[in-house]
């Protein structure tokens, strides 16, 4: 069930801006740390004390049996959501992952007695709307066949198809290929897992303005997000460097792209949104106004205050807001998610004061440049609200504790640790960053919607984007999904968190995701020497 936001009249927009200005800014903190190595013999089935699931479920129990899974594993769907294409396609994707190494062999196959031959998924609701706060909870039971059952079963039960997707991901991580028997096995069975996310908003920002990413690369990133149960792609589409998106209402805007080959058509954007939905991931689009707007004026120079002063966008012209309204109207047809990001940070208003016609407008309206900035942001929000969107903006340090104390809501990010372009931040810093930091009141804590890690692309492009994101984004993903009780800080787990993360990094690489070694001082750097994937 989607979260409902109150409608606001223009007089309330200032408070609304505070409500939705959500990100916490902290200065970078750089610590010198020793590169750590782990004996690879401590991994997977060799160490029964470690649970190799990422993110950890909220509640689970396990046993000491090893079960064999039939390569002909069948799917049975039940409940009101039993006809879901989303679940059926997800099952086929995961079956391909799970049984990648299982197939016919010219050397023959062993006659194995399989314990698990059927996967039952019960989905109680047929409502497949994907909005903020959709129910992603699920239960997962893995049990061996017994005297009353012809075949063993795996049962996933969820209220929505999106909870079922999370359960399928967890099930896939329980399955491991045994090279000795050439079979898929589930260790530590039977399993009973009862799971739900800690936060409703668990995001990754991708900046496609500083460098262009083809849609196949974006799809790969979305696919990898589903492996850690992230559920929002924050698509920072446009910035001062380039305007790659097609806007039918103002077709000259994408003249601001780097080249005619580095663009996204309306159809491309639809494809990305639909691809993400099939994996339970919303797409929150962003256009950053009034700053970061230089690329807009390539196609429409009147948006610039002058040819020597190209940003912020011209606050004095109605044309600026007409274009903004046209962009939002076209984008509303593409992006169904209820949140839309309007940027709003890093605005140097000196340009307005130094441009004669803007300076005259300020004088006529008795405004300072600070007043004009506020006017622009509030008017942009008003336009977004008129399109049935909830606007989001950037703000600086200490935002979350301040706004939730006033009864408002926030989304957390942390420039010191959750900006993935900061390559000198190790996994522990990412893992230990806490969205509820400084918020002790239980009611105020519920107003933190979640958080996101950010991949700004000044030094990332398709050649290294996955190595920059993973595995550090997985550390934040567990912080956002798993309760603090189930996943305490990294220095309190006796090295188990690192062991689990190193294993998960290797799971990503087995799935074709170019995830960097975990413990290198600089993220996305190559291994420092030969060795096992599980000890890097």
């Amino acid at each position: 069930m989607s979260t409902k936001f109150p409608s606001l009249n223009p007089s309330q927009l200032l408070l609304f801006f505070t409500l939705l200005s959500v990100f916490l800014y902290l200065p970078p903190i750089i610590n010198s740390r020793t590169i750590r190595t782990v004996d690879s013999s401590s991994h997977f089935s060799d160490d029964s004390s470690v649970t190799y699931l990422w993110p950890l479920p909220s509640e689970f129990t396990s046993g000491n049996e090893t079960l064999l899974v039939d390569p002909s594993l069948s799917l049975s769907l039940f409940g009101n959501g039993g006809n879901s294409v989303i679940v059926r396609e997800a099952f086929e994707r995961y079956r391909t992952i799970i049984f990648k190494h299982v197939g016919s062999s010219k050397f023959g196959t062993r006659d194995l007695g399989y314990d698990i031959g059927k996967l039952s998924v019960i989905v109680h609701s047929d409502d497949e709307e994907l909005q903020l706060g959709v129910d992603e909870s699920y239960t997962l039971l893995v049990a061996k066949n017994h005297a009353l059952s012809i075949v063993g079963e795996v049962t996933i039960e969820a209220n929505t198809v999106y909870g079922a997707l999370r359960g399928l991901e967890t099930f896939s991580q329980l399955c491991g290929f045994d090279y000795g028997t050439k079979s898929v096995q589930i260790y530590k069975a039977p399993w009973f897992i009862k799971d739900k996310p800690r936060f409703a908003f668990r995001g990754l920002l991708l900046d496609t303005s500083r460098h262009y990413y083809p849609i196949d690369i974006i799809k790969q990133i979305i696919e990898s997000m589903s492996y850690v149960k992230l559920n929002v792609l924050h698509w920072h589409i446009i910035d001062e460097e380039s305007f790659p998106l097609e806007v039918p209402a103002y077709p000259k805007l994408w003249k601001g792209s780097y080249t005619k080959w580095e663009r996204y058509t309306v159809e491309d954007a639809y494809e990305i949104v639909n691809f993400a939905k099939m994996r339970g991931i919303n797409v929150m689009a962003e256009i950053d106004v009034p700053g970061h707007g230089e690329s807009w004026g390539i196609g429409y120079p009147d948006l610039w205050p002058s040819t020597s002063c190209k940003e912020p966008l011209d606050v004095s012209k109605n044309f600026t807001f007409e274009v903004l309204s046209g962009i939002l109207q076209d984008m509303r047809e593409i992006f169904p998610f209820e949140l839309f990001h309007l940027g709003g940070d890093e605005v140097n208003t000196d340009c307005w004061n130094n441009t004669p016609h803007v300076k005259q407008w300020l004088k006529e309206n008795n405004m300072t440049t600070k007043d004009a900035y506020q006017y622009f942001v509030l008017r942009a929000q008003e336009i977004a609200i008129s399109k049935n969107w909830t606007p989001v903006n950037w703000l600086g340090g200490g935002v979350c504790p301040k706004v939730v104390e006033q009864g408002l809501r926030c989304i957390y990010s942390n420039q010191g640790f959750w900006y993935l372009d900061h390559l000198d931040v190790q996994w522990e810093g990412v893992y230990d960053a806490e969205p509820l930091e400084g918020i002790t009141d239980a009611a105020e804590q519920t107003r933190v919607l979640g958080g996101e890690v950010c991949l700004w692309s000044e030094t990332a492009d398709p050649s290294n984007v996955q190595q920059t994101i993973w595995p550090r984004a997985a550390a934040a993903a567990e912080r956002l999904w798993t309760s603090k009780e189930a996943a305490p800080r990294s220095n309190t787990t006796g090295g188990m968190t690192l062991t689990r993360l190193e294993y998960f990094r290797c799971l990503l690489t087995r799935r074709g995701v170019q995830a960097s070694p975990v413990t290198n001082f600089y993220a996305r750097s190559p291994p420092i020497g030969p060795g096992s994937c599980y000890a890097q």
Side-chain angles (χ1 to χ4, degrees), residues 200-214:
F201 187 108
R202 307 180 306 281
L204 166 68
L205 178 147
L206 180 67
D207 168 15
T208 62
S209 174
R210 272 81 181 207
H211 278 102
Y212 174 82
Y213 297 90

Side-chain angles (χ1 to χ4, degrees), residues 36-40 43 502 505-506 519 531-536:
R36 182 178 180 181
T37 60
V38 176
D39 182 357
S40 62
H43 286 274
E502 287 179 318
R505 178 255 174 168
C506 298
T519 56
S532 167
C533 173
Y534 297 95
Q536 295 181 354

Side-chain angles (χ1 to χ4, degrees), residues 229-251:
K229 302 182 173 70
L230 291 176
N231 69 348
V232 179
L233 175 69
H234 177 174
W235 191 2
H236 187 89
I237 307 175
I238 299 156
D239 213 291
E240 62 189 78
E241 288 82 1
S242 72
F243 196 117
L245 183 68
E246 179 185 17
V247 178
Y250 291 92

